[in-house]
C-alpha cells in the first residue's frame, strides 16, 4: 500500500513568497512614521543648535567682568575726582542703561580671586599712577603713555574670554577719547604733534589674568572632556541596554547575515533594570580610566588633581548611564531618542562651555539651570583650570551628579514597579 508524501510545511523558507521592495515602497503607511519622526528631529535639532550660536553678541546678558580702580593720584586741576574714579563710575553707570555686562567693582585682590575661581570672564584695571601719568602728558616730565590693563580668563573658554577682552578694550578706548577731549582743551596752544597724541592718550595692554596650561585647547579641553564623559555614559548605557535585552532573549541579535535568538529568561522589568544599572556602573570603571589614559597619558592634556578628576569623571559617567537606563526602561523603543534629547540635544547648546550662557538667548540660560552638561562642565573646568575649587563650579557639579542619580533611580524604579504591578510584562519575541 502506497502512502502519500506529506506536503511541506507551509512556513518552510523555500515556499514562503518573497515580497519585493518595489512593492512595499509604494505603501504610504510605511513612510509615515519614519518620515514624520526624522523631519521633526532634524527641525528641532537645527533650531536648538543654530539658535544658540548665531548671535552671541546680540544675546549678551550680564556677562560678569571685574572693574578695578587702583588709581591713587590727585584730581586734575578743576576736577573733584581723579581719572580712575571718573572712568570706573562712567563704565559702571552704563549697566543701568545696558545690561549686557555685569560690571563688578572689586579691588585688585578680589579681582584676582574672581579670576582664579572662574567667576568673571575678565577684568579692566586702572593702575595706581594713572591720573599722575595723564597729568604728566602736558609737561616735560612725560615719559610714557598712561596705560589701562585688560586681563583675560582663558579658563572660561576662548570665546567668553575674547568677548570680555573686546568689551574691556572698547571701554578703555572710549575712556581714552574722553580724557583726550579734556587734555586737548587744556593744551590748545600745544604743538600739533602733541595735540594729536593727546587726542587718544591712553595705551591699552592685554594680558592673561589667570593662566592655564598650553595643552588645554585654549580653554576648550574641559568642554570636550565633559562631552566624552556624557557620550561615554550615553553610549555605554544604550549598549548595555541592547546587550542585556539580547542576552535575556527579549531582542534578536543580528551580525551581518548571522541571526541569533536566545531563550527568553523569566525576569520582570524591575530586576532587569537592576541588572542594567549594575552593569553600567561596573563598565564605567573601565571606560573612565581609559578616557583619562587616552586624554592625559597619551595625548598630554594638562590636568591636575588626578584622583579627584577620576572620581568626578566616574560619577558623572555613571549618573548619565543610570539616567539612560531609567529612560529606556520607562519609554521602551523610543527611550534612546528621548535620552538623546535629554543628554545631548538639549545639553550641548546650553552647556555654556563654548559660548557663555550669558551670550545665548534666555531659553538656553533656562536650560542651563538643570541640563547636566552645564553643571558637569563647570565641575571639570574647576578641576582642570581652577585648582579644584568648590566655588569655581565643582560643588555645583557634585550636587548635579547627586541629584541626577537620585532622579534616575526614583524615576526608573518607579516606572518599572508600576509596570510590574499592573502586569505589563515584557512580551517574548515570537517568530512569524
Amino acid at each position: 500500500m502506497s502512502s502519500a508524501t506529506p506536503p511541506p510545511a507551509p512556513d518552510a523558507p523555500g515556499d514562503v513568497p518573497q515580497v519585493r521592495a518595489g512593492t512595499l515602497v509604494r505603501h504610504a503607511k510605511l513612510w509615515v512614521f519614519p518620515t514624520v519622526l526624522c523631519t521633526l528631529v532634524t527641525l528641532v535639532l537645527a533650531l536648538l543648535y543654530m539658535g544658540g550660536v548665531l548671535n552671541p553678541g546680540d544675546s549678551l546678558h550680564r556677562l560678569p567682568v571685574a572693574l578695578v580702580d587702583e588709581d591713587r593720584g590727585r584730581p586734575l586741576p578743576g576736577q573733584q575726582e581723579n581719572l580712575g574714579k571718573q572712568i570706573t563710575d562712567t563704565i559702571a553707570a552704563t549697566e543701568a542703561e545696558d545690561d549686557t555686562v555685569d560690571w563688578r567693582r572689586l579691588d585688585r585682590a578680589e579681582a584676582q580671586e574672581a579670576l582664579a575661581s572662574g567667576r568673571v570672564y575678565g577684568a579692566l584695571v586702572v593702575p595706581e599712577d594713572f591720573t599722575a601719568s595723564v597729568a604728566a602728558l602736558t609737561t616735560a616730565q612725560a615719559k610714557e603713555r598712561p596705560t589701562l590693563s585688560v586681563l583675560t580668563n582663558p579658563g572660561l573658554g576662548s570665546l567668553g574670554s575674547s568677548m570680555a577682552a573686546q568689551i574691556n578694550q572698547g571701554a578703555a578706548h572710549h575712556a581714552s577719547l574722553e580724557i583726550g577731549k579734556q587734555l586737548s582743551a587744556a593744551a590748545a596752544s600745544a604743538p600739533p604733534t602733541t595735540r594729536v597724541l593727546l587726542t587718544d592718550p591712553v595705551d591699552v595692554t592685554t594680558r592673561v589674568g589667570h593662566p592655564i596650561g598650553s595643552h588645554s585647547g585654549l580653554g576648550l579641553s574641559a568642554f570636550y572632556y565633559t562631552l566624552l564623559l556624557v557620550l561615554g555614559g550615553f553610549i555605554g548605557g544604550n549598549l548595555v541596554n541592547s546587550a542585556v535585552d539580547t542576552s535575556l532573549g527579549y531582542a534578536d541579535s543580528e551580525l551581518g547575515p548571522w541571526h541569533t535568538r536566545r531563550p527568553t529568561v523569566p525576569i520582570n522589568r524591575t530586576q532587569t533594570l537592576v541588572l542594567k544599572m549594575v552593569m553600567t556602573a561596573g563598565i564605567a570603571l573601565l571606560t573612565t580610566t581609559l578616557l583619562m589614559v587616552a586624554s592625559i597619558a597619551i595625548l598630554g592634556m594638562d590636568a591636575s588633581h588626578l584622583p579627584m578628576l577620576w572620581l568626578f569623571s566616574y560619577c558623572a559617567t555613571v549618573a548619565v548611564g543610570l539616567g539612560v537606563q531609567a529612560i529606556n526602561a520607562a519609554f521602551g523603543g523610543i527611550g534612546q531618542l528621548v535620552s538623546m534629547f535629554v543628554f545631548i540635544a538639549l545639553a550641548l547648546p546650553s552647556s555654556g562651555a563654548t559660548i557663555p550662557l550669558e551670550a545665548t538667548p534666555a531659553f538656553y540660560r533656562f536650560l542651563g539651570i538643570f541640563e547636566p552638561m552645564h553643571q558637569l562642565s563647570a565641575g571639570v573646568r574647576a578641576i582642570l583650570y581652577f585648582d579644584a575649587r568648590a566655588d569655581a563650579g565643582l560643588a555645583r557639579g557634585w550636587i548635579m551628579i547627586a541629584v541626577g542619580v537620585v532622579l534616575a533611580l526614583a524615576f526608573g524604579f518607579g516606572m518599572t514597579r508600576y509596570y510590574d504591578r499592573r502586569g505589563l510584562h515584557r512580551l517574548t519575541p515570537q517568530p512569524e
Side-chain angles (χ1 to χ4, degrees):
M1 184 174 67
S2 62
S3 59
T5 303
D11 59 349
D15 295 339
V16 175
Q18 299 294 303
V19 180
R20 300 184 65 84
T23 302
L24 296 176
V25 78
R26 292 192 291 269
H27 287 263
K29 291 183 178 180
L30 192 65
W31 288 77
V32 173
F33 180 75
T35 300
V36 171
L37 194 60
C38 289
T39 52
L40 284 178
V41 168
T42 302
L43 175 62
V44 172
L45 289 178
L47 292 174
L48 283 174
Y49 284 100
M50 302 309 295
V53 303
L54 292 181
N55 58 344
D58 295 340
S59 302
L60 200 61
H61 178 74
R62 299 188 64 79
L63 186 76
V65 179
L67 187 59
V68 181
D69 177 19
E70 294 187 306
D71 192 0
R72 299 294 178 265
R74 293 183 177 183
L76 296 177
Q79 299 182 1
Q80 297 181 349
E81 298 174 333
N82 63 25
L83 292 176
K85 184 70 163 54
Q86 293 180 39
I87 291 172
T88 53
D89 284 349
T90 301
I91 293 175
T94 61
E95 187 175 334
E97 305 172 359
D98 183 5
D99 62 353
T100 57
V101 182
D102 177 16
W103 293 105
R104 301 183 179 181
R105 303 188 71 160
L106 307 172
D107 61 32
R108 186 56 179 265
E110 292 171 338
Q112 201 61 50
E113 175 75 6
L115 289 166
S117 60
R119 296 197 302 272
V120 295
Y121 283 84
L124 177 61
V125 180
V126 182
E128 185 176 1
D129 61 344
F130 184 73
T131 299
S133 60
V134 170
L137 288 177
T138 58
T139 69
Q141 285 76 33
K143 297 180 180 179
E144 57 185 5
R145 295 178 66 187
T147 301
L148 293 175
S149 298
V150 172
L151 304 181
T152 63
N153 198 356
L156 292 179
S158 55
L159 179 60
S161 180
S162 175
M163 292 179 70
Q166 291 177 11
I167 291 169
N168 283 329
Q169 289 165 357
H173 180 64
H174 179 74
S176 178
L177 295 179
E178 290 298 318
I179 293 172
K181 293 179 182 178
Q182 299 179 30
L183 296 178
S184 297
S189 59
T193 303
T194 302
R195 290 201 302 270
V196 171
L197 173 63
L198 295 179
T199 301
D200 186 8
V202 178
D203 189 22
V204 181
T205 62
T206 301
R207 66 179 188 274
V208 177
H210 179 75
I212 59 176
S214 58
H215 290 78
S216 298
L218 300 177
L220 291 176
S221 61
F223 165 69
Y224 285 102
Y225 186 87
T226 305
L227 178 60
L228 290 172
L229 294 179
V230 174
L231 287 176
F234 174 78
I235 296 173
N238 282 309
L239 289 176
V240 168
N241 180 70
S242 300
V244 170
D245 283 348
T246 300
S247 299
L248 298 182
Y250 290 92
D252 291 354
S253 173
E254 290 188 75
L255 182 61
W258 295 280
H259 172 268
T260 302
R261 176 172 295 173
R262 296 179 179 274
T264 303
V265 177
I267 184 172
N268 62 26
R269 292 176 181 269
T270 300
Q271 291 301 309
T272 302
L273 181 58
V274 171
L275 175 62
K276 291 178 179 179
M277 286 188 168
V278 169
M279 292 181 62
T280 298
I283 294 173
L285 291 168
L286 178 61
T287 58
T288 300
T289 302
L290 291 178
L291 172 58
M292 289 188 62
V293 169
S295 301
I296 301 172
I298 298 178
L299 298 178
M301 182 182 78
D302 288 322
S304 57
H305 304 281
L306 296 185
M308 174 67 76
L309 180 61
W310 183 90
L311 183 60
F312 187 88
S313 301
Y314 172 73
C315 293
T317 302
V318 170
V320 174
L322 297 187
V324 168
Q325 299 298 4
I327 291 173
N328 285 338
F331 292 96
I334 65 168
Q336 294 187 17
L337 182 61
V338 175
S339 60
M340 185 271 289
F341 268 93
V342 172
F343 294 108
I344 307 296
L346 294 175
L348 278 173
S350 63
S351 68
T354 53
I355 297 179
L357 281 181
E358 293 85 357
T360 59
F363 173 68
Y364 299 91
R365 296 196 294 271
F366 168 73
L367 288 179
I369 298 174
F370 56 86
E371 272 295 330
M373 192 172 291
H374 174 57
Q375 320 301 336
L376 297 180
S377 64
V380 171
R381 187 169 57 195
I383 297 173
L384 293 182
Y385 308 147
F386 300 114
D387 199 30
R389 295 177 50 149
D391 60 349
L394 183 56
R396 190 168 71 245
W398 278 119
I399 291 172
M400 185 61 193
I401 288 174
V403 171
V405 170
V406 171
L407 289 178
L409 295 176
F411 178 66
F413 288 113
M415 294 301 297
T416 55
R417 287 179 183 273
Y418 171 77
Y419 293 153
D420 287 337
R421 286 198 305 268
R422 293 292 302 272
L424 301 173
H425 305 299
R426 302 186 71 185
L427 298 179
T428 303
Q430 298 290 338
E432 295 181 359

Short mmCIF file of all heavy atoms in Angstrom, two decimals, residues 88-127:
data_model
loop_
_atom_site.label_atom_id
_atom_site.label_comp_id
_atom_site.label_asym_id
_atom_site.label_seq_id
_atom_site.Cartn_x
_atom_site.Cartn_y
_atom_site.Cartn_z
N THR A 88 35.82 104.51 36.11
CA THR A 88 35.06 103.36 36.63
C THR A 88 33.60 103.74 36.91
O THR A 88 32.71 102.93 36.71
CB THR A 88 35.73 102.81 37.90
OG1 THR A 88 35.94 103.87 38.84
CG2 THR A 88 37.07 102.16 37.55
N ASP A 89 33.37 104.98 37.39
CA ASP A 89 31.99 105.42 37.62
C ASP A 89 31.21 105.47 36.30
O ASP A 89 30.05 105.06 36.24
CB ASP A 89 31.97 106.80 38.28
CG ASP A 89 32.31 106.74 39.75
OD1 ASP A 89 32.36 105.62 40.30
OD2 ASP A 89 32.54 107.81 40.36
N THR A 90 31.86 105.98 35.26
CA THR A 90 31.19 106.08 33.96
C THR A 90 30.87 104.71 33.39
O THR A 90 29.77 104.46 32.88
CB THR A 90 32.07 106.87 32.97
OG1 THR A 90 32.33 108.17 33.49
CG2 THR A 90 31.39 106.98 31.62
N ILE A 91 31.84 103.79 33.48
CA ILE A 91 31.62 102.44 32.95
C ILE A 91 30.53 101.72 33.73
O ILE A 91 29.63 101.09 33.16
CB ILE A 91 32.93 101.63 32.98
CG1 ILE A 91 33.94 102.23 32.00
CG2 ILE A 91 32.67 100.17 32.64
CD1 ILE A 91 35.31 101.58 32.05
N ALA A 92 30.60 101.80 35.07
CA ALA A 92 29.60 101.12 35.89
C ALA A 92 28.21 101.70 35.67
O ALA A 92 27.21 100.98 35.76
CB ALA A 92 29.98 101.22 37.36
N ALA A 93 28.12 102.99 35.35
CA ALA A 93 26.82 103.62 35.14
C ALA A 93 26.12 103.10 33.90
O ALA A 93 24.89 103.15 33.80
CB ALA A 93 26.98 105.14 35.06
N THR A 94 26.89 102.58 32.94
CA THR A 94 26.26 102.06 31.73
C THR A 94 25.44 100.81 32.00
O THR A 94 24.58 100.45 31.20
CB THR A 94 27.34 101.72 30.68
OG1 THR A 94 28.22 100.71 31.20
CG2 THR A 94 28.15 102.95 30.33
N GLU A 95 25.70 100.13 33.15
CA GLU A 95 24.96 98.91 33.46
C GLU A 95 23.48 99.19 33.66
O GLU A 95 22.63 98.35 33.35
CB GLU A 95 25.55 98.25 34.71
CG GLU A 95 24.96 96.89 35.02
CD GLU A 95 25.65 96.24 36.19
OE1 GLU A 95 26.84 96.55 36.44
OE2 GLU A 95 25.01 95.41 36.86
N ALA A 96 23.16 100.38 34.18
CA ALA A 96 21.76 100.72 34.39
C ALA A 96 21.01 100.91 33.08
O ALA A 96 19.80 100.68 32.99
CB ALA A 96 21.65 102.00 35.23
N GLU A 97 21.74 101.32 32.04
CA GLU A 97 21.11 101.54 30.73
C GLU A 97 21.21 100.32 29.83
O GLU A 97 20.35 100.08 28.99
CB GLU A 97 21.78 102.74 30.05
CG GLU A 97 21.76 104.01 30.90
CD GLU A 97 22.60 105.11 30.29
OE1 GLU A 97 23.21 104.86 29.22
OE2 GLU A 97 22.65 106.21 30.86
N ASP A 98 22.28 99.55 29.99
CA ASP A 98 22.53 98.41 29.12
C ASP A 98 23.00 97.24 29.98
O ASP A 98 24.07 97.30 30.60
CB ASP A 98 23.61 98.78 28.09
CG ASP A 98 23.88 97.65 27.11
OD1 ASP A 98 23.17 96.63 27.17
OD2 ASP A 98 24.81 97.80 26.30
N ASP A 99 22.18 96.18 30.04
CA ASP A 99 22.50 95.05 30.94
C ASP A 99 23.29 93.95 30.24
O ASP A 99 23.23 92.79 30.63
CB ASP A 99 21.22 94.47 31.54
CG ASP A 99 20.28 93.90 30.49
OD1 ASP A 99 20.57 94.07 29.28
OD2 ASP A 99 19.26 93.28 30.87
N THR A 100 24.05 94.30 29.22
CA THR A 100 24.85 93.28 28.53
C THR A 100 26.03 92.83 29.37
O THR A 100 26.50 91.70 29.24
CB THR A 100 25.36 93.80 27.18
OG1 THR A 100 26.12 95.00 27.40
CG2 THR A 100 24.19 94.11 26.24
N VAL A 101 26.54 93.72 30.23
CA VAL A 101 27.71 93.40 31.06
C VAL A 101 27.36 93.62 32.53
O VAL A 101 26.73 94.62 32.89
CB VAL A 101 28.92 94.27 30.67
CG1 VAL A 101 30.14 93.88 31.51
CG2 VAL A 101 29.23 94.12 29.19
N ASP A 102 27.78 92.68 33.35
CA ASP A 102 27.65 92.81 34.79
C ASP A 102 28.99 93.28 35.34
O ASP A 102 29.87 92.49 35.66
CB ASP A 102 27.25 91.46 35.40
CG ASP A 102 27.16 91.51 36.92
OD1 ASP A 102 27.11 92.62 37.47
OD2 ASP A 102 27.14 90.43 37.55
N TRP A 103 29.15 94.61 35.42
CA TRP A 103 30.41 95.19 35.90
C TRP A 103 30.48 95.00 37.41
O TRP A 103 29.63 95.49 38.15
CB TRP A 103 30.50 96.67 35.55
CG TRP A 103 30.61 96.94 34.08
CD1 TRP A 103 29.63 97.41 33.27
CD2 TRP A 103 31.77 96.77 33.26
NE1 TRP A 103 30.10 97.55 31.98
CE2 TRP A 103 31.41 97.17 31.95
CE3 TRP A 103 33.07 96.33 33.51
CZ2 TRP A 103 32.31 97.13 30.90
CZ3 TRP A 103 33.96 96.30 32.44
CH2 TRP A 103 33.59 96.69 31.17
N ARG A 104 31.53 94.33 37.88
CA ARG A 104 31.70 94.08 39.31
C ARG A 104 32.89 94.87 39.82
O ARG A 104 34.04 94.57 39.50
CB ARG A 104 31.90 92.58 39.56
CG ARG A 104 30.72 91.75 39.05
CD ARG A 104 30.88 90.28 39.35
NE ARG A 104 29.72 89.53 38.86
CZ ARG A 104 29.57 88.21 39.00
NH1 ARG A 104 30.51 87.51 39.64
NH2 ARG A 104 28.50 87.61 38.53
N ARG A 105 32.61 95.88 40.62
CA ARG A 105 33.66 96.76 41.13
C ARG A 105 34.36 96.05 42.29
O ARG A 105 33.80 95.84 43.36
CB ARG A 105 33.05 98.08 41.57
CG ARG A 105 32.29 98.77 40.45
CD ARG A 105 31.85 100.16 40.82
NE ARG A 105 32.98 101.06 40.89
CZ ARG A 105 32.87 102.40 40.81
NH1 ARG A 105 31.69 102.96 40.66
NH2 ARG A 105 33.94 103.16 40.90
N LEU A 106 35.62 95.70 42.05
CA LEU A 106 36.40 94.95 43.02
C LEU A 106 37.76 95.61 43.19
O LEU A 106 38.22 96.37 42.32
CB LEU A 106 36.61 93.50 42.53
CG LEU A 106 35.35 92.71 42.14
CD1 LEU A 106 35.75 91.38 41.49
CD2 LEU A 106 34.45 92.47 43.34
N ASP A 107 38.43 95.30 44.32
CA ASP A 107 39.82 95.72 44.41
C ASP A 107 40.69 94.67 43.72
O ASP A 107 40.18 93.65 43.25
CB ASP A 107 40.23 95.94 45.87
CG ASP A 107 40.11 94.68 46.73
OD1 ASP A 107 40.29 93.57 46.20
OD2 ASP A 107 39.82 94.82 47.93
N ARG A 108 41.99 94.92 43.66
CA ARG A 108 42.86 94.05 42.87
C ARG A 108 42.86 92.61 43.41
O ARG A 108 42.81 91.64 42.63
CB ARG A 108 44.28 94.61 42.86
CG ARG A 108 45.24 93.84 41.94
CD ARG A 108 44.70 93.80 40.51
NE ARG A 108 45.59 93.11 39.62
CZ ARG A 108 46.50 93.72 38.84
NH1 ARG A 108 46.61 95.04 38.88
NH2 ARG A 108 47.27 93.02 38.05
N ALA A 109 42.92 92.45 44.74
CA ALA A 109 42.93 91.11 45.32
C ALA A 109 41.62 90.38 45.05
O ALA A 109 41.61 89.19 44.71
CB ALA A 109 43.20 91.19 46.82
N GLU A 110 40.52 91.10 45.17
CA GLU A 110 39.21 90.48 44.90
C GLU A 110 39.07 90.10 43.43
O GLU A 110 38.50 89.05 43.11
CB GLU A 110 38.10 91.44 45.31
CG GLU A 110 37.99 91.67 46.80
CD GLU A 110 37.01 92.78 47.14
OE1 GLU A 110 36.74 93.64 46.26
OE2 GLU A 110 36.51 92.81 48.28
N ALA A 111 39.58 90.94 42.55
CA ALA A 111 39.51 90.63 41.12
C ALA A 111 40.34 89.40 40.78
O ALA A 111 39.92 88.54 39.99
CB ALA A 111 39.99 91.83 40.31
N GLN A 112 41.54 89.31 41.37
CA GLN A 112 42.37 88.14 41.11
C GLN A 112 41.71 86.87 41.65
O GLN A 112 41.79 85.81 41.02
CB GLN A 112 43.75 88.32 41.76
CG GLN A 112 44.83 87.45 41.17
CD GLN A 112 45.07 87.72 39.70
OE1 GLN A 112 45.25 88.87 39.29
NE2 GLN A 112 45.07 86.67 38.89
N GLU A 113 41.05 86.99 42.79
CA GLU A 113 40.31 85.86 43.35
C GLU A 113 39.16 85.45 42.43
O GLU A 113 38.91 84.28 42.21
CB GLU A 113 39.78 86.24 44.73
CG GLU A 113 38.89 85.20 45.39
CD GLU A 113 39.66 84.01 45.92
OE1 GLU A 113 40.91 84.04 45.89
OE2 GLU A 113 39.01 83.04 46.34
N ALA A 114 38.45 86.44 41.90
CA ALA A 114 37.34 86.15 40.99
C ALA A 114 37.83 85.49 39.70
O ALA A 114 37.18 84.59 39.16
CB ALA A 114 36.57 87.43 40.68
N LEU A 115 38.98 85.92 39.20
CA LEU A 115 39.56 85.29 38.02
C LEU A 115 39.98 83.86 38.33
O LEU A 115 39.76 82.94 37.53
CB LEU A 115 40.77 86.10 37.53
CG LEU A 115 40.49 87.46 36.89
CD1 LEU A 115 41.77 88.27 36.77
CD2 LEU A 115 39.84 87.29 35.52
N ALA A 116 40.58 83.65 39.49
CA ALA A 116 41.09 82.33 39.85
C ALA A 116 39.98 81.33 40.15
O ALA A 116 40.22 80.13 40.12
CB ALA A 116 42.01 82.44 41.07
N SER A 117 38.78 81.83 40.44
CA SER A 117 37.66 80.93 40.72
C SER A 117 36.67 80.87 39.56
O SER A 117 35.62 80.23 39.67
CB SER A 117 36.93 81.37 41.99
OG SER A 117 36.42 82.68 41.86
N GLY A 118 36.98 81.56 38.47
CA GLY A 118 36.12 81.50 37.28
C GLY A 118 34.82 82.24 37.43
O GLY A 118 33.86 81.96 36.71
N ARG A 119 34.77 83.25 38.31
CA ARG A 119 33.52 83.99 38.49
C ARG A 119 33.40 85.18 37.55
O ARG A 119 32.32 85.73 37.40
CB ARG A 119 33.38 84.47 39.94
CG ARG A 119 33.28 83.34 40.96
CD ARG A 119 32.74 83.84 42.29
NE ARG A 119 33.56 84.90 42.86
CZ ARG A 119 34.61 84.69 43.65
NH1 ARG A 119 34.98 83.45 43.96
NH2 ARG A 119 35.30 85.71 44.14
N VAL A 120 34.51 85.59 36.94
CA VAL A 120 34.47 86.68 35.96
C VAL A 120 35.25 86.24 34.72
O VAL A 120 36.19 85.46 34.80
CB VAL A 120 35.06 87.99 36.53
CG1 VAL A 120 34.20 88.52 37.67
CG2 VAL A 120 36.50 87.81 36.98
N TYR A 121 34.83 86.78 33.58
CA TYR A 121 35.46 86.43 32.31
C TYR A 121 36.67 87.29 32.00
O TYR A 121 37.42 86.99 31.07
CB TYR A 121 34.45 86.55 31.17
CG TYR A 121 33.48 85.39 31.11
CD1 TYR A 121 32.34 85.38 31.89
CD2 TYR A 121 33.72 84.30 30.27
CE1 TYR A 121 31.45 84.32 31.85
CE2 TYR A 121 32.83 83.24 30.21
CZ TYR A 121 31.70 83.25 31.01
OH TYR A 121 30.82 82.20 30.96
N GLY A 122 36.86 88.36 32.75
CA GLY A 122 37.99 89.24 32.52
C GLY A 122 37.93 90.41 33.49
O GLY A 122 37.03 90.50 34.34
N ALA A 123 38.87 91.32 33.35
CA ALA A 123 38.92 92.48 34.25
C ALA A 123 39.54 93.66 33.52
O ALA A 123 40.41 93.50 32.66
CB ALA A 123 39.72 92.15 35.51
N LEU A 124 39.08 94.86 33.88
CA LEU A 124 39.67 96.11 33.41
C LEU A 124 40.26 96.81 34.63
O LEU A 124 39.56 97.09 35.61
CB LEU A 124 38.61 97.01 32.75
CG LEU A 124 39.09 98.39 32.27
CD1 LEU A 124 40.17 98.23 31.21
CD2 LEU A 124 37.92 99.20 31.73
N VAL A 125 41.57 97.09 34.57
CA VAL A 125 42.29 97.60 35.74
C VAL A 125 42.84 98.99 35.43
O VAL A 125 43.55 99.19 34.43
CB VAL A 125 43.45 96.66 36.12
CG1 VAL A 125 44.18 97.21 37.34
CG2 VAL A 125 42.91 95.26 36.41
N VAL A 126 42.51 99.95 36.30
CA VAL A 126 43.10 101.28 36.23
C VAL A 126 44.27 101.30 37.21
O VAL A 126 44.07 101.14 38.41
CB VAL A 126 42.07 102.36 36.61
CG1 VAL A 126 42.70 103.75 36.48
CG2 VAL A 126 40.82 102.26 35.76
N PRO A 127 45.51 101.49 36.75
CA PRO A 127 46.68 101.37 37.63
C PRO A 127 46.77 102.53 38.62
O PRO A 127 46.12 103.57 38.49
CB PRO A 127 47.85 101.36 36.65
CG PRO A 127 47.35 102.05 35.45
CD PRO A 127 45.89 101.73 35.35
#
